[in-house]
Amino acid sequence: MTGARTIPLRAGARYGAAVLVWAGAVCLAWGPGVAAAVDSGDGPDSPFWVEPSGRAGKQARTWEERGRDGDAEAVRHIAEQPTAVWLTGDDPRNQAARITEEAERASRIPLLVAYNIPHRDCGQYSSGGAPTAAAYRAWVSRAAAGIGERRAWVVLEPDAVAQWASGCLPKDAARDRLGLLAEAVRTLKARRGVSVYVDAGNAGWISDQALLAGALRRAGVGEADGFALNVSNFHTTPVTREYGDRLSGRLGGAHYIIDTSRNGNGPLPAPSASGAGNDEPGAEGWCNPPGRALGTPPTTATGDPRVDAFVWVKRPGESDGSCRGAPPAGHWWSEYALGLAKPPGEAAPARPPLAAATTPG
């Protein structure tokens, strides 16, 4: 795979990461044996908006004030990159309006994540969501109203389609889910500046791609701009592209985006007979695995005509859930962020105590 491709600055798409260097753009993320070099999200191939007051930036300033200059510099690699803003509140209109207005003033495109589907996350670490189908329709309408006629890229409901395909949903929720997603696509796409990518899980989840493709069609992917892969997960970009290209082939050549925020070292190895790999019984490989690394910074220079962008949907440093001594899902975990941001050999402890995880410095 050679060269680079830049897509027009239209609304809609997700950011990700990979261990790759693209011609014409410095987009190198570190993995085993690779030197660290992360460029700013303001590069010519990154049209995405960088949140000026994110948690990583605040952490960098705190550590700098405390004399932890090396740690501050490492975490600043996260702060300088455009990451998604997740819409999860009861009424997302004001949040969506504020983010898109700020991004418009900066002449950049914000990445938003719609994450409020009923029976969200099948009752696991990120459980919640709208209480009813009607409430969800109203919620999506409020998000669309907040965006207005401004540009935005929206990742629609991480895990929602894959969880439907996995069979974890109660019967009533399963019956409604795909139709609700299709309605959400239509509501968001009615806004002329919005592009929508329906989440399709990750390369290690749904092996029956015929089932998954059928679900995506029912979820409105044909009316969307494409689908999204690897959100909040760790599969490498080459593995994800192979999976994504096959899925795209089942969907008539649909485009897709890849979350590369934490895939620099790939996923946590499976447990071996020697006990190496997943170091905590019962802690899933996707839940705050130790030893992971940042991936390629967000860019539209992907080198693949079907991959619209590498994006950072998962915000590096925010917990996946209360496993491995971590705070609840979505909470900032400073030492885990440091572990992701530092090159191999310099990483912070993989499992700091909870007290360290929940305090700013």
Side-chain angles (χ1 to χ4, degrees):
M1 184 167 52
T2 60
R5 169 179 175 268
T6 303
I7 62 173
L9 301 189
R10 58 184 176 81
R14 200 157 23 145
Y15 30 90
V19 186
L20 298 166
V21 180
W22 304 105
V26 180
C27 293
L28 173 65
W30 56 79
V34 182
V38 177
D39 68 341
S40 168
D42 290 331
D45 295 308
S46 179
F48 307 113
W49 176 73
V50 178
E51 187 175 15
S53 58
R55 292 168 170 176
K58 293 176 182 177
Q59 187 67 67
R61 289 191 293 274
T62 297
W63 279 344
E64 196 169 50
E65 291 167 359
R66 297 181 182 183
R68 294 176 62 174
D69 293 346
D71 294 343
E73 182 179 0
V75 172
R76 198 169 287 113
H77 289 316
I78 297 173
E80 291 171 349
Q81 303 307 319
T83 55
V85 175
W86 292 59
L87 306 176
T88 59
D90 291 338
D91 185 348
R93 178 168 184 162
N94 289 343
Q95 185 186 16
R98 176 178 60 82
I99 296 302
T100 54
E101 287 167 1
E102 289 186 23
E104 185 176 63
R105 285 194 293 270
S107 298
R108 294 282 170 166
I109 301 172
L111 182 70
L112 304 176
V113 182
Y115 194 53
N116 198 45
I117 196 79
H119 205 78
R120 189 179 67 201
D121 202 28
C122 285
Q124 298 185 85
Y125 293 125
S126 296
S127 62
T132 65
Y136 183 67
R137 294 185 185 98
W139 186 91
V140 172
S141 293
R142 295 288 288 176
I147 295 170
E149 299 306 311
R150 293 175 290 275
R151 293 188 299 174
W153 297 25
V154 179
V155 176
L156 184 60
E157 298 297 344
D159 299 341
V161 174
Q163 286 179 339
W164 178 92
S166 75
C168 71
L169 291 170
K171 185 179 297 185
D172 289 349
R175 182 194 63 225
D176 293 340
R177 174 156 294 189
L178 301 182
L180 283 175
L181 292 171
E183 290 181 46
V185 169
R186 289 192 292 271
T187 298
L188 292 165
K189 288 297 296 178
R191 301 288 172 168
R192 64 182 181 180
V194 177
S195 296
V196 179
Y197 291 81
V198 181
D199 188 74
N202 62 72
W205 195 345
I206 305 300
S207 58
D208 185 348
Q209 284 202 339
L211 174 66
L212 181 60
L216 286 166
R217 282 191 289 269
R218 290 172 58 190
V221 73
E223 298 177 67
D225 293 80
F227 59 93
L229 289 173
N230 207 46
V231 169
S232 300
N233 216 281
F234 304 85
H235 292 283
T236 65
T237 298
V239 167
T240 302
R241 284 187 59 244
E242 192 278 331
Y243 183 89
D245 284 352
R246 287 192 289 114
L247 184 58
S248 172
R250 293 178 179 274
L251 294 169
H255 286 213
Y256 62 99
I257 56 176
I258 301 173
D259 184 356
T260 53
S261 56
R262 304 184 299 175
N263 74 349
N265 283 346
L268 186 69
S272 66
S274 64
N278 193 340
D279 66 339
E280 182 177 314
E284 299 87 345
W286 55 264
C287 191
N288 304 311
R292 303 309 94 201
L294 299 176
T296 299
T299 180
T300 55
T302 69
D304 188 322
R306 282 187 285 192
V307 181
D308 286 348
F310 299 144
V311 291
W312 284 14
V313 184
K314 175 67 178 181
R315 298 160 68 88
E318 293 186 2
S319 173
D320 293 316
S322 52
C323 63
R324 295 190 170 92
H331 286 226
W332 176 252
W333 192 6
S334 59
E335 297 299 334
Y336 194 79
L338 184 60
L340 290 169
K342 283 200 167 184
E346 300 180 26
R351 283 195 299 172
L354 184 58
T358 55
T359 56

